[in-house]
Amino acid sequence: MSTTILEERKDQIHRTGEGDIDIACNRESLAGAVSQRACVFCGSRVVLYPIADALHLVHGPIGCAVYTWDIRGALSSGPELHRLSFSTDLQELDVVFGGEKKLAAALDELIDRHSPKAAFVYSTCIVGLIGDDLEAVCRKMSEEKGIPVLPVQSEGFKGSKREGYLAACKAMFKLVGTRETTGISPVSINILGDFNLAGEIWIIREYFERMGVEVVANVTGDGRVDDICRCHGAALNLVQCSGATLDLAKMMEEKYGTPHLRVSYLGIEDMADSLYQVADFFKDKDPGIVARTEALVREELQKLMPELARYRKDLEGKKVAMYVGGSFKAFSLLKAFRHLGMKVVMVGSQTGTKEDYAELEQIADPGTIIVDDANPLELSQFIKEKDVDIFVGGVKERPIAFKLGVGFCDHNHERKEALEGFVGMLNFAREIHSSAMSPVWQFAPRRANRITVEKKEAVNE
């Protein structure tokens, strides 16, 4: 193990094939630090933020609101109230005397001005310390304004980003079951855990519409409060990002008996398998759904596979490192890279569990580095050690890749390119190809010698 790795970090790093995997994970985030793994408050914000017709008010210092302003590239087909970032901007005197009056005044003004369908009020570290009664203020404002005003108990010091997911699900669950479900088809679903980055949920909804499946609610990409209020009428919940909305699916199953399936819309196998799982679930209610699904997949693959083969000729054998937020992405991306003939040599996650990492080891190649909640020094060291050709990550990882002369693919929540579905797989292959094959890398000192050697070998052959 390299000396770059701190002693206290070694139990969060594993190399496949070198003993049993037992990665330490799910450790608490450091409150107040913009670290690789975000805090509880940030976790709740990234889940709830895409609900487009709700008011989102951060009760805390202005820095918390700035940190999470427009944190997802979540597109809306209608209202865009979610794009605004509101804060009570707590100051020193509010810490001494309490911020409840300031919160009530802010809600009073904002609800009158914007007429939201609901309001989410996020608690931050300082609110947890001074003891403001968020629930009492929200309850009073809900009675006065006639809309749900929901406290999100998301004090940053309470744990890690995953606890923020749970806080978000608890707040959303108060909406579920508060509207009529008349007219909902028996062949119907809710899409949980997709945040409509670059319009991806519209791609997935179109697939289900072609299958004859009604989508009741998007939770939460392009989300609407009224849809969430009646989503208990759907026959099935599809959970993509397991950390973000799995708790909500479990709550709905316990109270309303709504079953759920774990799915992924990234890559070829997982996208097709997700559609087939839904078709299999509804085949007794709709005998023709399996045939329609098979036709859909066949039609999409006929368009996709010849294009992938063209990109694979250049990408065969190139090495990939990836560091993603949710571990569910890692499973799908690893399979997607194999379709392109590429080898994943490092995979990391911010919010993976022991079960996730154990499953990753089963499908990863021997020698693959698996890391939980990595830091920039580690990522830089692994990229150099494995001499990777392309790095897949988020906005914080982009400078690392470029400084080391490595191609980069943005797979984070701020991206502008749709990467889900069959069309998303083509977009992904195109982006990987353009990044990895760019001639600019021959001018990067660390990689120039290797590229020169490869060219000489190709000429000799």
Short mmCIF file of all heavy atoms in Angstrom, two decimals, residues 210 271-272 275-276 292-302 422:
data_model
loop_
_atom_site.label_atom_id
_atom_site.label_comp_id
_atom_site.label_asym_id
_atom_site.label_seq_id
_atom_site.Cartn_x
_atom_site.Cartn_y
_atom_site.Cartn_z
N ARG A 210 -44.47 3.35 -23.86
CA ARG A 210 -44.50 2.42 -25.00
C ARG A 210 -44.86 1.00 -24.55
O ARG A 210 -45.43 0.22 -25.32
CB ARG A 210 -43.15 2.42 -25.71
CG ARG A 210 -42.90 3.69 -26.52
CD ARG A 210 -41.44 3.88 -26.87
NE ARG A 210 -40.89 2.83 -27.73
CZ ARG A 210 -39.63 2.77 -28.11
NH1 ARG A 210 -38.76 3.71 -27.70
NH2 ARG A 210 -39.21 1.79 -28.89
N MET A 271 -30.60 -1.57 -18.12
CA MET A 271 -31.78 -0.89 -18.66
C MET A 271 -32.79 -1.92 -19.16
O MET A 271 -33.98 -1.85 -18.84
CB MET A 271 -31.36 0.05 -19.80
CG MET A 271 -32.52 0.84 -20.41
SD MET A 271 -33.24 2.08 -19.32
CE MET A 271 -34.80 1.32 -18.88
N ALA A 272 -32.31 -2.88 -19.95
CA ALA A 272 -33.21 -3.91 -20.48
C ALA A 272 -33.79 -4.74 -19.35
O ALA A 272 -35.00 -5.04 -19.34
CB ALA A 272 -32.46 -4.80 -21.47
N LEU A 275 -36.68 -3.01 -17.56
CA LEU A 275 -37.93 -3.05 -18.33
C LEU A 275 -38.56 -4.44 -18.26
O LEU A 275 -39.78 -4.58 -18.10
CB LEU A 275 -37.67 -2.65 -19.78
CG LEU A 275 -37.15 -1.23 -20.01
CD1 LEU A 275 -36.92 -0.99 -21.50
CD2 LEU A 275 -38.08 -0.19 -19.44
N TYR A 276 -37.72 -5.46 -18.37
CA TYR A 276 -38.25 -6.83 -18.32
C TYR A 276 -38.81 -7.16 -16.95
O TYR A 276 -39.81 -7.90 -16.84
CB TYR A 276 -37.15 -7.83 -18.70
CG TYR A 276 -36.82 -7.87 -20.16
CD1 TYR A 276 -35.50 -7.90 -20.61
CD2 TYR A 276 -37.83 -7.89 -21.13
CE1 TYR A 276 -35.19 -7.94 -21.96
CE2 TYR A 276 -37.53 -7.93 -22.48
CZ TYR A 276 -36.21 -7.95 -22.89
OH TYR A 276 -35.92 -7.98 -24.23
N ARG A 292 -44.62 -6.39 -26.01
CA ARG A 292 -44.32 -4.99 -26.30
C ARG A 292 -42.93 -4.60 -25.78
O ARG A 292 -42.20 -3.84 -26.43
CB ARG A 292 -45.39 -4.08 -25.69
CG ARG A 292 -46.74 -4.16 -26.37
CD ARG A 292 -47.63 -2.99 -25.96
NE ARG A 292 -47.93 -2.98 -24.54
CZ ARG A 292 -48.94 -3.64 -23.98
NH1 ARG A 292 -49.76 -4.38 -24.73
NH2 ARG A 292 -49.16 -3.56 -22.68
N THR A 293 -42.59 -5.13 -24.62
CA THR A 293 -41.28 -4.82 -24.04
C THR A 293 -40.16 -5.43 -24.87
O THR A 293 -39.13 -4.79 -25.12
CB THR A 293 -41.21 -5.34 -22.59
OG1 THR A 293 -42.30 -4.80 -21.84
CG2 THR A 293 -39.90 -4.94 -21.94
N GLU A 294 -40.34 -6.66 -25.29
CA GLU A 294 -39.33 -7.32 -26.14
C GLU A 294 -39.13 -6.54 -27.44
O GLU A 294 -37.99 -6.36 -27.90
CB GLU A 294 -39.74 -8.75 -26.44
CG GLU A 294 -39.66 -9.67 -25.22
CD GLU A 294 -40.23 -11.05 -25.50
OE1 GLU A 294 -40.91 -11.21 -26.55
OE2 GLU A 294 -40.01 -11.96 -24.68
N ALA A 295 -40.23 -6.07 -28.03
CA ALA A 295 -40.14 -5.30 -29.28
C ALA A 295 -39.41 -3.98 -29.04
O ALA A 295 -38.59 -3.54 -29.87
CB ALA A 295 -41.53 -5.05 -29.83
N LEU A 296 -39.69 -3.34 -27.91
CA LEU A 296 -39.04 -2.08 -27.58
C LEU A 296 -37.53 -2.26 -27.45
O LEU A 296 -36.73 -1.51 -28.04
CB LEU A 296 -39.63 -1.54 -26.28
CG LEU A 296 -39.19 -0.16 -25.76
CD1 LEU A 296 -40.24 0.39 -24.80
CD2 LEU A 296 -37.84 -0.18 -25.05
N VAL A 297 -37.11 -3.27 -26.68
CA VAL A 297 -35.68 -3.51 -26.45
C VAL A 297 -35.00 -3.88 -27.77
O VAL A 297 -33.89 -3.39 -28.07
CB VAL A 297 -35.49 -4.62 -25.39
CG1 VAL A 297 -34.01 -5.01 -25.29
CG2 VAL A 297 -36.01 -4.17 -24.04
N ARG A 298 -35.64 -4.72 -28.55
CA ARG A 298 -35.05 -5.13 -29.83
C ARG A 298 -34.85 -3.93 -30.76
O ARG A 298 -33.80 -3.75 -31.38
CB ARG A 298 -35.95 -6.18 -30.50
CG ARG A 298 -35.40 -6.74 -31.80
CD ARG A 298 -36.16 -8.01 -32.21
NE ARG A 298 -37.59 -7.80 -32.26
CZ ARG A 298 -38.46 -8.33 -31.42
NH1 ARG A 298 -38.04 -9.11 -30.44
NH2 ARG A 298 -39.77 -8.10 -31.54
N GLU A 299 -35.86 -3.06 -30.81
CA GLU A 299 -35.78 -1.88 -31.67
C GLU A 299 -34.65 -0.94 -31.22
O GLU A 299 -33.89 -0.42 -32.06
CB GLU A 299 -37.12 -1.14 -31.63
CG GLU A 299 -37.17 0.13 -32.46
CD GLU A 299 -38.50 0.85 -32.33
OE1 GLU A 299 -39.51 0.19 -31.98
OE2 GLU A 299 -38.53 2.07 -32.57
N GLU A 300 -34.53 -0.74 -29.92
CA GLU A 300 -33.49 0.17 -29.41
C GLU A 300 -32.09 -0.42 -29.62
O GLU A 300 -31.16 0.30 -29.97
CB GLU A 300 -33.72 0.45 -27.92
CG GLU A 300 -34.99 1.22 -27.61
CD GLU A 300 -34.97 2.63 -28.20
OE1 GLU A 300 -33.88 3.24 -28.24
OE2 GLU A 300 -36.04 3.11 -28.61
N LEU A 301 -31.94 -1.72 -29.42
CA LEU A 301 -30.62 -2.35 -29.58
C LEU A 301 -30.19 -2.37 -31.04
O LEU A 301 -28.98 -2.28 -31.34
CB LEU A 301 -30.62 -3.76 -29.00
CG LEU A 301 -30.73 -3.86 -27.47
CD1 LEU A 301 -30.64 -5.31 -27.02
CD2 LEU A 301 -29.63 -3.04 -26.80
N GLN A 302 -31.12 -2.52 -31.96
CA GLN A 302 -30.78 -2.50 -33.38
C GLN A 302 -30.18 -1.16 -33.79
O GLN A 302 -29.32 -1.10 -34.68
CB GLN A 302 -32.02 -2.80 -34.22
CG GLN A 302 -32.42 -4.28 -34.21
CD GLN A 302 -33.75 -4.53 -34.90
OE1 GLN A 302 -34.49 -3.60 -35.23
NE2 GLN A 302 -34.06 -5.80 -35.13
N PHE A 422 -31.19 3.57 -23.38
CA PHE A 422 -30.39 3.10 -24.51
C PHE A 422 -29.75 4.28 -25.24
O PHE A 422 -28.58 4.23 -25.63
CB PHE A 422 -31.26 2.29 -25.46
CG PHE A 422 -31.86 1.06 -24.82
CD1 PHE A 422 -33.21 1.00 -24.53
CD2 PHE A 422 -31.06 -0.02 -24.47
CE1 PHE A 422 -33.77 -0.11 -23.93
CE2 PHE A 422 -31.60 -1.14 -23.86
CZ PHE A 422 -32.96 -1.19 -23.59
#
